[in-house]
Amino acid sequence: MKNQRVKRVGIKKSGPEPGRFKMEELRFGTELLKRGFASMQKGGVIMDVIDASQARIAEEAGAVAVMSLERVPSDIRKMGGVARMADPEKVLEIIDAVSIPVMGKVRIGHFVEAQVLESLGVDMIDESEVLTPADEQYHIDKKLFKVPFVCGARDLGEALRRINEGAAMIRTKGEAGTGNVVEAVRHMRNIMGKIRMLKGMNRQEMIDFAREIEAPAELVFECSERGRLPVVNFSAGGIATPSDAAMMMQLGADGVFVGSGIFKSSNPERMAKAIVEAVNHFNDADVIARVSKGLGDAMPGLDVHTLRDDEVLQTRGR
Amino acid sequence: MDAKIGVLALQGNVSEHIDAFCLAIERVKKKGASEVFEVRCPADLAGCNALAIPGGESTTISRLIEKNHLHEPLCNFTGGIFATCAGMVLMATDVADPRIRTLGLIEMAVDRNAFGRQRESFEADISVRGIDGGPFHAIFIRAPVATSTGFDVEVLARIDQGIVAVEKGKHMAFSFHPELGGDTRLHERFLRMQGI
């Protein structure tokens, strides 16, 4: 025992032994780690779950991560009232049930709910318009956290404002809890289309464009150089079938979030597996056709044009 | 030799691997054609002489390997495999999770999420055998470690928590992500091992 200790001291004096480092040389919660975590989710399906048994079904079906929340969006719509972060007990129950990453939703601007989820060990925080906003002026200052954030966006300007605040991942908002993909399509087309437009602009025009969409010019230049957003971009809000999911992938999504679409369908296990396969083979209509056969009923949908202004979730936060 | 490098594109950070290999080939290659492309089915795999297995969710990738009938072709693949994070889990012989059917190409036992959750993910400079130019800046994201290795497996890097880089024959496996961060020394070593 004594010998060992002497040996270690000797090693430290002569510089680090191969593969060793001092604790103070470790860096946690960097931008690279946050964006790196998000990029590991690419090509995957992230599913909303409200308890451990749903989380196990999602993991079994091949989800890359689960999103813990108190109620799925379609129930939030029905029940009304203030929608908040899930009960920490439920979040921990979900964390214990699965080995894939667990994400959690917090209200827009509610930095203390975010602190709580970080302390519980949630792997990524979704600052989400699906919950009732806690701050109508400011989003969370996401750079203060070690855990990465994902945020919703309807257009390029909104996406870049969130990235500027520290979001490591963007998801197009769509209109959650409707089972209607039309808004998800609108938002994805807006972001991809605006990035394609940048190709034809010179620097001056891009600076002007940045002012117009209320985004930092540096991030606009970065989109132009890469031909895509600087972070991973998933699609969300209204995906209810394997074809919906594959369409969003063909439109340029890096992956999809499915909320009510799985556990409000008549056969969640099969729907979950089918959507995972459709995302994996998003360009192969034969596979999408095969997995879509006899799935039972998708979730009941809502026409977004019949929603009252105060029922529309996507306009929360801008 | 021509470089025909496939990146297993079932799930995970595929494009980062493609970019890193393109950069590494540019840095080492003297002559011959080179191609880096996505591998989604057995036919794609037949067209490459080396393969990268990216990071992602090992349970998801394992399931998709089965669904896409890639398990046997991967086990019988004759080229070298460059595996990171989830890829390292898949290369092992022994993983304590019945849902993952590993390829068993490198004799080692691997622990998934060995460091904990995302808040415990970290960056650090570590020494890695087999490359010149000083420590390697390693990025560990919900990373696995190898807890034991077979006698014919060479350990390239070890930290307090376990083994984080190994080599066997033409294969290399890492707990961390050499494809993030722009340092291609490990990719270059891999290419030289393949005779590219």
Side-chain angles (χ1 to χ4, degrees), chain A residues 204-278:
Chain A
Q204 273 181 315
E205 288 161 345
M206 279 195 270
I207 291 171
D208 200 41
F209 178 72
R211 200 177 302 130
E212 197 180 297
I213 64 169
E214 298 176 60
E218 287 308 317
L219 289 176
V220 171
F221 300 153
E222 201 178 337
C223 289
S224 159
E225 255 166 53
R226 296 193 189 199
R228 57 158 297 141
L229 283 182
V231 302
V232 169
N233 183 24
F234 271 44
S235 172
I239 295 164
T241 67
S243 297
D244 287 351
M247 175 163 70
M248 297 318 300
M249 294 297 288
Q250 287 193 26
L251 287 173
D254 292 314
V256 301
F257 283 88
V258 187
S260 325
I262 288 170
F263 290 100
K264 289 292 169 187
S265 71
S266 63
N267 189 338
E269 285 91 344
R270 282 198 60 193
M271 183 61 85
K273 282 185 181 153
I275 290 180
V276 169
E277 245 190 290

Side-chain angles (χ1 to χ4, degrees), chain B residues 84-148:
Chain B
T84 72
C85 198
M88 184 193 204
V89 174
L90 293 166
M91 292 296 278
T93 42
D94 189 6
V95 176
D97 190 329
R99 294 164 305 181
I100 296 172
R101 188 174 167 213
T102 63
L103 303 170
L105 292 168
I106 298 179
E107 194 186 321
M108 58 182 169
V110 169
D111 254 2
R112 293 175 64 216
N113 302 336
F115 301 89
R117 309 199 65 82
Q118 173 61 16
R119 67 180 176 205
E120 277 90 38
S121 292
F122 64 97
E123 299 180 30
D125 291 323
I126 64 170
S127 325
V128 182
R129 290 175 59 192
I131 53 168
D132 300 325
F136 193 89
H137 189 69
I139 295 141
F140 293 84
I141 299 175
R142 283 176 53 98
V145 296
T147 49
S148 64

Side-chain angles (χ1 to χ4, degrees), chain B residues 63-97:
Chain B
R63 251 184 215 96
L64 292 170
I65 285 174
E66 299 296 322
K67 283 257 182 223
N68 291 284
H69 314 290
L70 276 161
H71 194 271
E72 294 310 313
L74 283 170
C75 291
N76 299 324
F77 184 63
T78 53
I81 298 180
F82 186 92
T84 72
C85 198
M88 184 193 204
V89 174
L90 293 166
M91 292 296 278
T93 42
D94 189 6
V95 176
D97 190 329

